[in-house]
């Protein structure tokens, strides 16, 4: 499959960077074609420009993000790797959704801005790999997994209805042992094993 790996962390020595390397190697070993979208390394700007916002629902002005859009449209599978900050996306990743998953790209609006029609029919799989400083029960029992709910209901189901979403969350990420990280990497490997193998 054509796999797009999207990393959203500013530090090269971060856990997110290490997990990104692990994901890319696992996908390449399985024979998938991999493109890496390292948002910080590319200097991706998360804020919509004035022109983008003015044209958002009418012939979107996509020139500044055309390369990112083409990589999204080519993807049959996406892996998102990011830290959960304040129980949401890092700003740079939220901006990637705002600017790249735009009308005419990821979906079409009805003429009256009512219900939308999905466009990402090629996208079949999405794996989310995220870390949180909080314990699992705060995310799941207190806040009801806001990142997963937004991705599943508002983004993936709306824009890519044929896509299967899986979220892997690593909790208490500031106090992890080497064994805990190794076990988490095995969970990533297990999730990727269920993706169609081109070999």
């Amino acid at each position: 499959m054509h796999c797009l790996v999207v990393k959203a962390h500013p530090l090269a020595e971060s856990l997110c960077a290490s997990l990104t390397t692990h994901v890319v190697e696992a996908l390449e070993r399985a024979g998938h074609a991999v493109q890496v979208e390292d948002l910080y390394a590319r200097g991706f700007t998360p804020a919509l420009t004035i022109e983008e916002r003015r044209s958002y629902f009418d012939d979107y002005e996509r020139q500044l993000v055309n390369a990112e859009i083409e990589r999204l449209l080519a993807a049959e599978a996406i892996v998102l790797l990011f830290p959960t900050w304040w129980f949401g996306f890092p700003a740079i990743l939220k901006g990637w959704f705002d600017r790249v998953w735009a009308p005419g790209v990821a979906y079409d609006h009805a003429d009256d801005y009512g219900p939308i029609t999905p466009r990402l029919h090629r996208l079949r799989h999405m794996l989310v790999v995220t870390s949180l400083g909080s314990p699992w029960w705060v995310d799941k029992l207190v806040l009801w997994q806001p990142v997963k709910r937004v991705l599943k209901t508002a983004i993936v189901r709306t824009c890519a209805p044929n896509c299967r979403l899986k979220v892997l969350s690593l909790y208490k990420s500031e106090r992890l042992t080497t064994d805990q990280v190794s076990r988490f990497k095995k969970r990533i490997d297990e999730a990727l094993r269920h993706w169609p193998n081109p070999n």
Side-chain angles (χ1 to χ4, degrees):
M1 293 190 299
H2 291 278
C3 299
L4 180 63
V5 176
V6 181
K7 174 192 165 196
H9 198 291
L11 302 180
E13 70 277 14
S14 65
L15 174 62
C16 184
S18 173
L19 294 176
T20 300
T21 299
H22 182 82
V23 164
V24 170
E25 290 175 351
L27 290 171
E28 289 178 342
R29 277 197 307 271
H32 299 292
V34 181
Q35 283 193 307
V36 178
E37 189 83 85
D38 188 333
L39 297 176
Y40 278 97
R42 290 181 184 274
F44 182 79
T45 302
L48 283 163
T49 67
I50 294 172
E51 292 78 13
E52 287 169 350
R53 182 56 194 164
R54 282 187 175 145
S55 66
Y56 206 65
F57 298 110
D58 182 23
D59 194 19
Y60 180 52
E61 186 73 32
R62 56 182 273 180
Q63 283 83 351
L64 295 178
V65 289
N66 198 56
E68 289 85 354
I69 286 173
E70 292 305 316
R71 286 189 284 272
L72 171 64
L73 294 176
E76 297 169 277
I78 293 177
V79 183
L80 300 178
L81 298 108
F82 60 93
T84 295
W85 289 337
W86 290 109
F87 297 96
F89 302 119
I92 201 167
L93 182 58
K94 176 60 167 61
W96 181 74
F97 283 115
D98 290 343
R99 298 183 71 204
V100 179
W101 291 58
V105 177
Y107 63 94
D108 288 316
H109 251 299
D111 291 340
D112 61 355
Y113 302 107
I116 69 176
T117 304
R119 292 179 62 104
L120 298 180
H121 300 291
R122 181 180 175 88
L123 186 59
R124 298 289 175 162
H125 299 275
M126 180 181 285
L127 175 64
V128 175
V129 177
T130 188
S131 58
L132 300 88
S134 67
W136 70 269
W137 59 269
V138 175
D139 183 40
K140 292 185 177 181
L141 303 181
V142 178
L143 291 164
W144 300 347
Q145 295 182 286
V147 166
K148 182 177 181 179
R149 282 189 291 116
V150 168
L151 277 168
K152 181 178 180 180
T153 306
I155 297 177
V156 174
R157 185 181 295 167
T158 302
C159 299
N162 300 319
C163 181
R164 298 178 63 182
L165 171 70
K166 184 171 183 62
V167 178
L168 296 179
S169 299
L170 184 56
Y171 297 102
K172 295 185 178 180
S173 59
E174 287 91 358
R175 294 170 291 187
L176 294 170
T177 66
T178 301
D179 286 344
Q180 287 173 314
V181 174
S182 295
R183 287 198 298 271
F184 189 68
K185 287 180 177 179
K186 289 178 182 177
R187 291 179 61 198
I188 293 173
D189 293 340
E190 182 61 26
L192 295 177
R193 265 194 287 272
H194 292 286
W195 287 12
N197 192 320
N199 292 330

